[in-house]
Amino acid sequence: MKRKLKSQDIYSTCVPSSINYIRTIVTEFLDNLENIYGQVDECILFELKVILNEVLVNAVKHGNKEDEKKQIKIKASISDEAVVNIVVEDEGNGYDYEAVCNCSKPFCEGEDPLKISECGRGIMIIKSLCDNVKVSEKGNQIILAKSLL
C-alpha cells in the first residue's frame, strides 16, 4: 500500500456542463486516487462517489443551468495526511450557501414527508459526508475535504 506521500494533484479536468460526463469523471477520479494512494476502504470510496455525484449534479443543474456551453472545472489533490481536497467550480451566478443550509431541516417523526423542502438536500448530503466544506463568496466554487483514514 502506498501510504507515505507528499501533497500532490490526483485529478484535474474541465468538461461541458452535462449530466452525461458525471459517471466518467467519478470513475476517473477514483481510479486516479487509488493509483496514487493505494487501496481505499470501500465505505470511503462509496462516500466519495456520493459526494462527487452530488456536487457535480449541483454544478450542472443549479450552477450552469444545464447549459453545455458552460464548463465545470474539477481539481483534486491528496495531502500527506491522507485528506482528499476537491474543488469544483461552475460558471453560474452562484448561490447563498448559508441560506441553502438554513432552509434545510432534518426529517422529524410525524412530519408529512410530502411537505419537506427539497431545498439544499444535496448540500446537506455533501456536508454530512465531508470533513470540511467551503463555498466561495460568489457561491460558484465549492472546496471539499475528505479524510481517507
Side-chain angles (χ1 to χ4, degrees):
M1 271 190 209
K2 305 171 193 170
R3 294 290 186 226
K4 289 241 178 189
L5 52 109
K6 295 287 181 192
S7 182
Q8 64 183 26
D9 292 340
I10 58 171
Y11 190 75
S12 181
T13 192
C14 187
V15 295
S17 190
S18 170
I19 295 293
N20 297 329
Y21 291 98
I22 293 175
R23 179 179 286 175
T24 301
I25 292 168
V26 172
T27 301
E28 287 176 355
F29 174 91
L30 295 174
D31 287 348
N32 286 357
L33 172 63
E34 287 198 310
N35 284 337
I36 291 168
Y37 179 75
Q39 188 174 359
V40 177
D41 179 81
E42 284 186 43
C43 290
I44 292 175
L45 280 177
F46 177 77
E47 290 176 354
L48 283 167
K49 285 180 188 180
V50 172
I51 292 164
L52 288 167
N53 274 292
E54 288 295 331
V55 75
L56 293 170
V57 166
N58 281 350
V60 169
K61 288 188 171 186
H62 303 297
N64 288 343
K65 310 288 188 217
E66 299 187 63
D67 180 351
E68 291 190 34
K69 294 176 193 154
K70 293 183 178 181
Q71 299 284 306
I72 296 174
K73 295 177 188 173
I74 303 104
K75 290 185 179 185
S77 62
I78 186 167
S79 73
D80 51 354
E81 293 90 20
V83 174
V84 176
N85 297 290
I86 305 166
V87 179
V88 176
E89 182 176 354
D90 61 56
E91 294 182 48
N93 295 326
Y95 70 104
D96 184 339
Y97 175 71
E98 293 301 323
V100 169
C101 289
N102 290 334
C103 84
S104 300
K105 61 180 182 175
F107 177 74
C108 297
E109 189 175 329
E111 193 171 12
D112 182 353
L114 298 176
K115 294 184 180 176
I116 296 173
S117 171
E118 292 185 19
C119 172
R121 185 174 50 201
I123 288 296
M124 292 295 101
I125 292 168
I126 292 165
K127 279 182 64 175
S128 72
L129 296 175
C130 289
D131 299 304
N132 196 7
V133 176
K134 293 181 184 176
V135 176
S136 66
E137 189 174 323
K138 179 179 176 183
N140 71 328
Q141 181 186 72
I142 189 166
I143 304 162
L144 311 167
K146 173 74 175 163
S147 174
L148 298 178
L149 302 177

